[in-house]
Amino acid sequence: MSVIDKLVARSRRRSPWLFRLNAGGCNGCDIEFSACLSPRYDVEQTGALLVGSARHADILCVTGPVTRGSLAALETIFAQMGDPKAVVAVGNCPATCDVFAGSPVIAGPLDGLVPVDVFVPGCPPRPGDIIEGIARAVAALPAKGARGGKRDAKRKRGAGKKT
Ligand code: SF4
């Protein structure tokens, strides 16, 4: 592992960058996810940051049962994320499709479509449980190997710069 890769791995442990995708949920899990960013739970205090582009994210947080309409977005977002990356299934819907199971418009559950590292159960789960799930995903990242070298390290460093 190069010096750059070691620095990136060390930085990621303290500042995982998150991307959230609602794959057809009812918004209940998204409200709880948003609460994680509120002053009460303040997940950013731990260094975690919600980013607007999957290309900059280390962890993909998915809510909802994955409708057929959201499947292409899920696949594109997952492909855009650099390695190593982790996926957190937030709520019962991505795990089992929950109340949407059996519907002809559902492509889920999530782990049949992309590899899932952490399941956070609940309908919806509490913010504290979501934060714990994110922490478990961060812990899983080192075992997935280094990100793809200097090019990706440069991309992540430059992601926060204004253009
Ligand atoms: S798990 Fe419950 S709260 Fe979350 S998206 Fe599904 S139905 Fe809504």
Side-chain angles (χ1 to χ4, degrees):
M1 186 185 282
S2 71
V3 173
I4 295 286
D5 287 338
K6 285 179 183 172
L7 279 172
V8 170
R10 184 174 172 181
S11 303
R12 188 182 292 116
R13 279 205 304 271
R14 298 288 175 93
S15 60
W17 287 11
L18 316 174
F19 187 86
R20 176 167 54 110
L21 172 68
N22 181 335
C26 74
N27 270 352
C29 288
D30 300 272
I31 291 170
E32 299 304 314
F33 190 94
S34 297
C36 298
L37 303 166
S38 70
R40 178 165 182 179
Y41 294 97
D42 199 10
V43 69
E44 289 188 350
Q45 200 175 75
T46 67
L49 184 69
L50 190 65
V51 294
S53 169
R55 295 180 193 277
H56 305 152
D58 305 302
I59 297 172
L60 174 61
C61 300
V62 181
T63 62
V66 191
T67 57
R68 293 193 186 282
S70 65
L71 180 57
L74 171 69
E75 291 173 340
T76 300
I77 287 166
F78 185 77
Q80 285 177 338
M81 294 174 67
D83 291 322
K85 55 192 169 188
V87 176
V88 178
V90 180
N92 291 350
C93 274
T96 65
C97 299
D98 205 46
V99 293
F100 303 105
S103 166
V105 303
I106 299 300
L110 182 64
D111 66 352
L113 306 168
V114 296
V116 178
D117 298 275
V118 179
F119 291 92
V120 182
C123 182
R126 295 173 183 229
D129 295 334
I130 296 173
I131 292 172
E132 188 181 327
I134 291 168
R136 287 168 51 204
V138 172
L141 283 174
K144 291 168 170 272
R147 190 177 272 238
K150 293 179 181 177
R151 183 174 57 86
D152 288 321
K154 183 179 175 185
R155 185 181 64 197
K156 182 165 183 176
R157 282 199 309 277
K161 293 180 182 172
K162 292 181 180 174
T163 54

